[in-house]
Amino acid sequence: MMEKIVKIKSPLVSVNWLRQNIDATNLIVLNGTLPKVTAKKTIQKLENQCIPKARFFDIKKEFSLQGAQFPNTVLEPKSFEASARALGINSDACIVVYDEHGIYSAPRVWWLFKTMGFNNIAVLDGGFPAWKEKGYDIEEKQGHLFKKGNFTVNYIAGLLLNSNSVLNALNDSINQIVDARSSGRFYATSPEPRAEIRSGRIPTSKSLPYSSLLNHTELKSIVQLQALFKEMSLENKNLIFSCGSGITACVLALGATVAGFDTVAVYDGSWTEWGSLQHLPIEK
């Protein structure tokens, strides 16, 4: 049997594409699900099933800096490289990442790999809900053994920003900060989930809740996304996306990339960091 090697041409692939290429030699399916915490602070239960041979990409415990001051802090490049190799990922892999909500945390995984200089990766449009809706094969979640991979990091500076970089961008007209949190949190009419963090927004930022980029569990079409970004006068801007803790900002990064924007960055610490550091300015 000839080896089937696949390469991804878009940051987004359909469940039909994944089904057609599921047996490709270099294909790796990652489950990048993070549980959502509801307004009542209850955590949504995760699925017992998964896409066949899916490997769990543990954003919290394996691919975030443990003991960091703020949640979901990106790993140092060499640590990311070691964790990716432990997951059996090779440099010639083709990765499709999904989550169980549709599109929520999978874009964070996609953006982390891009930051580490790896581009043969895409988010599964509609995620596990869309896969199940088609009636495609599923299996019980289980532990798979993987041969250690040879994944190599080629870190791309500027895709994940720190608070100093964002602060320096505030008064530069070419930059635009866009916030993926709910409008209630952005305008400080709803409380922050973490009581110790100030309410409000980064000065000069604009509100674009990540849910406004979705049609149910799938990303809106290219035409719809382009119209949405145009409506917000974001053309010809360097876009910096923020959210609560660096997760849903990556949904905006995905949408902007699909819409054709080239200069996109994510503020890693996002509002959890900004609202915690008393020297940083806020608006309400």
Side-chain angles (χ1 to χ4, degrees):
M1 179 182 292
M2 290 183 59
E3 289 190 347
K4 181 180 180 181
I5 305 296
V6 286
K7 188 169 180 61
I8 286 171
K9 299 178 181 178
S10 166
L12 199 68
V13 296
S14 69
V15 292
N16 292 337
W17 184 95
L18 179 58
R19 177 66 186 85
Q20 291 166 7
N21 293 281
I22 196 75
D23 294 322
T25 308
N26 66 330
L27 183 74
I28 292 177
V29 179
L30 296 180
N31 178 351
T33 303
L34 276 178
K36 286 185 181 180
V37 179
T38 69
K40 296 181 179 180
K41 301 294 180 70
T42 57
I43 298 177
Q44 292 181 340
K45 187 178 179 181
L46 299 184
E47 296 273 1
N48 293 320
Q49 291 85 27
C50 64
I51 294 173
K53 298 181 181 179
R55 310 176 188 190
F56 182 55
F57 186 98
D58 194 335
I59 294 174
K60 286 288 187 184
K61 295 180 180 178
E62 296 294 336
F63 287 91
S64 294
L65 183 62
Q66 300 303 294
Q69 185 177 2
F70 304 109
N72 310 318
T73 300
V74 65
L75 290 176
E76 291 295 324
K78 281 298 179 184
S79 296
F80 186 98
E81 182 177 277
S83 293
R85 288 180 176 185
L87 204 52
I89 298 175
N90 293 317
S91 292
D92 66 350
C94 172
I95 300 174
V96 174
V97 56
Y98 76 91
D99 66 62
E100 296 169 14
H101 308 293
I103 292 182
Y104 174 66
S105 53
R108 173 70 177 185
V109 181
W110 166 77
W111 195 252
L112 287 176
F113 273 99
K114 284 181 65 67
T115 300
M116 299 301 165
F118 183 84
N119 290 306
N120 200 18
I121 180 169
V123 172
L124 183 64
D125 198 13
F128 197 50
W131 182 268
K132 288 194 299 181
E133 188 175 328
K134 286 284 189 176
Y136 292 151
D137 290 346
I138 58 175
E139 68 178 20
E140 294 294 315
K141 287 180 178 176
Q142 55 192 290
H144 292 287
L145 295 176
F146 310 113
K147 181 181 178 181
K148 186 177 179 179
N150 62 13
F151 181 82
T152 301
V153 161
N154 182 22
Y155 186 76
I156 308 296
L159 295 188
L160 279 174
L161 303 182
N162 59 27
S163 59
N164 286 334
S165 297
V166 176
L167 185 62
N168 290 335
L170 292 187
N171 297 316
D172 189 337
S173 61
I174 195 62
N175 296 305
Q176 180 60 60
I177 301 162
V178 186
D179 195 321
R181 294 177 300 160
S182 67
S183 58
R185 291 174 66 187
F186 182 83
Y187 291 108
T189 57
S190 300
E192 282 296 308
R194 302 170 179 87
E196 70 278 8
I197 296 174
R198 297 178 292 170
S199 293
R201 61 186 180 272
I202 299 172
T204 75
S205 61
K206 292 185 177 184
S207 176
L208 181 59
Y210 82 93
S211 58
S212 63
L213 273 66
L214 305 179
N215 284 327
H216 189 42
T217 65
E218 297 180 343
L219 201 67
K220 287 182 176 179
S221 70
I222 293 175
V223 172
Q224 289 174 314
L225 292 171
Q226 289 173 337
L228 182 59
F229 287 115
K230 183 176 182 179
E231 182 183 331
M232 294 186 63
S233 301
L234 298 179
E235 310 103 305
N236 304 314
K237 296 285 188 178
N238 295 336
L239 300 180
I240 300 172
F241 296 119
S242 181
C243 59
S245 61
I247 300 299
T248 57
C250 298
V251 177
L252 300 192
L254 176 65
T257 302
V258 170
F261 285 82
D262 295 322
T263 311
V264 176
V266 169
Y267 172 24
D268 196 37
S270 283
W271 188 254
T272 301
E273 179 180 57
W274 194 275
S276 299
L277 300 179
Q278 297 300 315
H279 72 282
L280 294 175
I282 64 170
E283 291 180 348
K284 288 188 177 182

